[in-house]
Amino acid sequence: MQKPKKLIGMKISDFNDLVKSKNQIHLQKARLIPFYKPGDEMALTSIFMSAISSVDEFKRDIFKSIGFSTYGYLHVYTEVEFTLFDRKRIDGLFLLVRGKKIVDAMVIESKNKRNNLDSNQIKEYFNILKAYRIPKILTLSNEFVNFPTQTPMNIKPPKSITIYHLSWSYILTIAHILCIENDQKIKDKNQKFIMNEVINYLEHSNSGVVGFTQMKPGWTEVCQKINSGASLKLNDSVVEETISSWIQKERDVGLALSRELGLLVKTGKTKYKVNLSERIKNEKQELVRNKSLKSFLNVEGATSPICIKANFRSKTIEMSVNIDSPKDRPIRPQITWMRNQLKKCANKNIELFTKIQNELMLDINVKFSSKPIRLQISDLEDAHDSSLLIKKEIKSFSLVYVDYLGKKFDSRKQFVIQVENMLLRYYESIVQHLKNWEKPAPKIKPNEEE
């Protein structure tokens, strides 16, 4: 009886002979123009894998996110069938070759459209990976995670195997960023042409690539329970669905903003980078206890991470950034400095600023107080005379955009649309124009004798 052969360390010529023998492995070379109908999962997989082998910068960015080296010669295959395991077929296989030997390997399992990954299917694949000593598996689907080291499935791989996950929206976002004129851009014109063609395919309605279009059914039920005063329990399935939807929406809006900015916006909480289930557990406690949820988007160059908060009781969304205030001035000049920042925002885009100014609030964060002093921006002119600020010391400001969604908050589809539109308005009209105060350079004191 034949035994599976260890791939890592095998000569690539021996691997090719193994494939030719058809005794253990059948496969196809990945093609940029595959012989599948549009919308087929294998078409999407083949195009993705071929783009990686054809576009240097795309390979660099995708492989960097999943811990796969770019140093060596890459072999890409699809429809990989393992005859010793009931002819089970895995969607794709990467082999990295250096010195004519296989030094690393990763299998690919992909889903498109509304098809979610099947944890039982992946568990069966683990047996194949262990047998052939393949150390990595990459899953692709329209499900979102904040870090490639997280997985949307409730599954724990064996110690010898590392599992990564990328959403198709993430892949599309990376492709878009590479085609923009920036430091990361694709340098070779032919490779850029290939990347643009891949983008055209991924964005086509028949490709099977879809963004996050609606919250899960549990979202509406949780909204109704909170509105009626009914209690929530940590182990309620609707609470789990609500948290799952929120985390996926967090990543979705981050990618939407990334495509607008031409750089990758970081989302998620780093301490849960390899443990999504722990974050879900903590978010459940937050929802049950405070009836609210928070997310943070990190944009390089912004004054602070953008905080997005969903308040279930008031059916509002709050978006805010912190701004460091001048430490070398008393309260009145500090507030004047903040007012000038707002005037700058208005002057940059008066039409957009006018649309949201009634929903803008300023939180004044003062020392030795856990709660900020919140004012409408229309009240800032006389804020320094407020009794709330007497004998206080300002630490920083937070500019808050509050939008009441009403029934749209409960709607699975409308909530998704409203949050994304709100974020883009807030960033364009406010966030991109704000600056933190910077301590000025010290000055040389004049010589008294002079």
Side-chain angles (χ1 to χ4, degrees):
M1 183 177 178
Q2 289 193 65
K3 291 184 178 179
K5 296 186 177 182
K6 179 183 175 182
L7 293 190
I8 305 299
M10 179 185 289
K11 290 182 179 178
I12 189 63
S13 58
D14 291 342
F15 177 79
N16 292 333
D17 291 340
L18 185 67
V19 172
K20 287 177 183 178
S21 70
K22 299 183 179 180
N23 291 326
Q24 292 195 22
I25 299 174
H26 297 171
L27 46 75
Q28 305 288 333
K29 286 190 176 181
R31 295 178 179 274
L32 188 62
I33 306 175
F35 300 114
Y36 305 99
K37 65 180 181 180
D40 191 290
E41 285 176 358
M42 286 310 306
L44 202 54
T45 306
S46 183
I47 291 169
F48 163 71
M49 296 182 72
S50 295
I52 283 182
S53 65
S54 302
V55 183
D56 295 335
E57 290 83 358
F58 189 54
K59 177 171 66 176
R60 175 199 67 198
D61 289 357
I62 294 295
F63 277 7
K64 183 180 179 181
S65 68
I66 58 177
F68 202 80
S69 176
T70 59
Y71 174 57
Y73 188 81
L74 185 68
H75 295 255
V76 290
Y77 307 99
T78 59
E79 295 186 277
V80 186
E81 188 178 88
F82 296 88
T83 59
L84 301 183
F85 289 84
D86 298 326
R87 307 187 76 86
K88 282 187 169 57
R89 194 184 71 180
I90 299 180
D91 293 333
L93 173 67
F94 285 128
L95 293 180
L96 187 66
V97 176
R98 287 199 291 264
K100 299 182 180 180
K101 286 187 178 181
I102 300 170
V103 296
D104 205 354
M106 174 183 283
V107 299
I108 313 295
E109 175 59 25
S110 69
K111 303 289 184 185
N112 71 348
K113 301 178 182 177
R114 301 294 176 192
N115 301 316
N116 290 340
L117 295 162
D118 183 345
S119 58
N120 291 325
Q121 183 182 30
I122 300 299
K123 286 177 183 177
E124 290 179 351
Y125 292 166
F126 287 157
N127 295 326
I128 299 174
L129 269 62
K130 285 192 292 184
Y132 283 93
R133 307 288 178 86
I134 299 172
K136 301 179 178 75
I137 179 171
L138 170 65
T139 58
L140 307 169
S141 73
N142 285 308
E143 299 162 276
F144 291 79
V145 293
N146 282 300
F147 301 96
T149 47
Q150 296 174 336
T151 173
M153 298 174 289
N154 186 15
I155 190 173
K156 189 175 182 180
K159 289 183 179 179
S160 60
I161 298 170
T162 304
I163 187 168
Y164 298 94
H165 177 77
L166 299 177
S167 70
W168 290 114
S169 288
Y170 174 85
I171 291 166
L172 178 59
T173 300
I174 293 296
H176 268 294
I177 292 172
L178 290 173
C179 289
I180 295 172
E181 290 297 318
N182 55 33
D183 294 338
Q184 304 297 312
K185 69 180 180 180
I186 298 169
K187 296 177 178 60
D188 185 273
K189 290 182 179 179
N190 292 329
Q191 292 185 20
K192 186 173 182 179
F193 174 80
I194 291 172
M195 195 81 272
N196 275 311
E197 289 301 299
V198 171
I199 290 172
N200 289 337
Y201 183 88
L202 295 178
E203 289 187 330
H204 195 277
S205 58
N206 291 336
S207 70
V209 175
V210 294
F212 188 75
T213 57
Q214 63 179 3
M215 310 298 273
K216 293 183 178 181
W219 176 271
T220 299
E221 191 171 336
V222 163
C223 291
Q224 292 171 346
K225 280 189 172 185
I226 293 174
N227 189 50
S228 65
S231 61
L232 294 176
K233 296 181 180 178
L234 289 174
N235 58 357
D236 284 349
S237 61
V238 293
V239 172
E240 175 98 22
E241 286 190 350
T242 299
I243 300 304
S244 174
S245 296
W246 176 256
I247 293 174
Q248 290 198 61
K249 183 56 194 169
E250 170 186 279
R251 185 57 164 169
D252 179 53
V253 295
L255 292 175
L257 184 57
S258 299
R259 291 190 288 272
E260 294 293 326
L261 298 177
L263 59 86
L264 193 61
V265 174
K266 295 179 181 179
T267 57
K269 300 175 181 178
T270 307
K271 65 179 178 179
Y272 304 121
K273 188 174 182 178
V274 293
N275 195 346
L276 181 59
S277 59
E278 188 64 23
R279 182 184 173 185
I280 291 173
K281 176 183 174 183
N282 289 338
E283 296 289 2
K284 282 182 180 179
Q285 294 172 347
E286 176 71 16
L287 178 60
V288 171
R289 181 171 56 247
N290 297 323
K291 309 300 185 290
S292 64
L293 291 170
K294 279 184 182 180
S295 288
F296 294 90
L297 310 183
N298 288 279
V299 182
E300 185 179 353
T303 58
S304 79
I306 302 170
C307 176
I308 303 176
K309 182 179 181 181
N311 298 300
F312 285 76
R313 287 195 180 99
S314 61
K315 299 186 185 297
T316 59
I317 293 291
E318 289 187 13
M319 296 186 180
S320 62
V321 287
N322 292 332
I323 307 104
D324 291 338
S325 62
K327 303 296 189 295
D328 59 348
R329 308 174 195 180
I331 287 180
R332 183 168 186 166
Q334 281 183 300
I335 293 176
T336 300
W337 177 86
M338 189 63 237
R339 285 176 58 212
N340 289 337
Q341 291 245 32
L342 284 167
K343 287 179 181 177
K344 179 183 175 182
C345 295
N347 291 336
K348 290 288 184 179
N349 193 329
I350 188 64
E351 183 179 351
L352 188 56
F353 183 85
T354 303
K355 286 181 180 178
I356 71 167
Q357 65 178 345
N358 291 334
E359 284 78 46
L360 288 176
M361 305 284 182
L362 185 71
D363 281 353
I364 303 175
N365 305 303
V366 297
K367 279 190 174 182
F368 312 115
S369 177
S370 58
K371 290 185 178 181
I373 298 168
R374 176 165 291 189
L375 301 171
Q376 289 188 321
I377 60 170
S378 57
D379 297 333
L380 287 186
E381 189 168 351
D382 300 318
H384 60 276
D385 289 330
S386 171
S387 59
L388 297 172
L389 288 172
I390 293 176
K391 295 183 180 180
K392 301 287 185 180
E393 186 176 342
I394 296 176
K395 293 190 300 182
S396 63
F397 298 107
S398 297
L399 200 50
V400 188
Y401 176 26
V402 184
D403 197 7
Y404 171 69
L405 300 188
K407 291 182 179 179
K408 292 178 181 178
F409 192 99
D410 298 2
S411 169
R412 293 164 58 197
K413 289 185 177 181
Q414 281 299 314
F415 181 85
V416 169
I417 294 169
Q418 294 300 317
V419 171
E420 183 171 325
N421 291 341
M422 185 179 171
L423 174 63
L424 296 178
R425 283 196 303 270
Y426 180 55
Y427 191 92
E428 185 178 358
S429 61
I430 301 295
V431 180
Q432 67 182 9
H433 305 303
L434 296 175
K435 298 290 182 184
N436 283 319
W437 174 79
E438 294 183 0
K439 186 177 181 179
K443 297 179 180 178
I444 296 175
K445 294 179 181 179
N447 191 308
E448 291 183 6
E449 292 182 4
E450 290 180 0

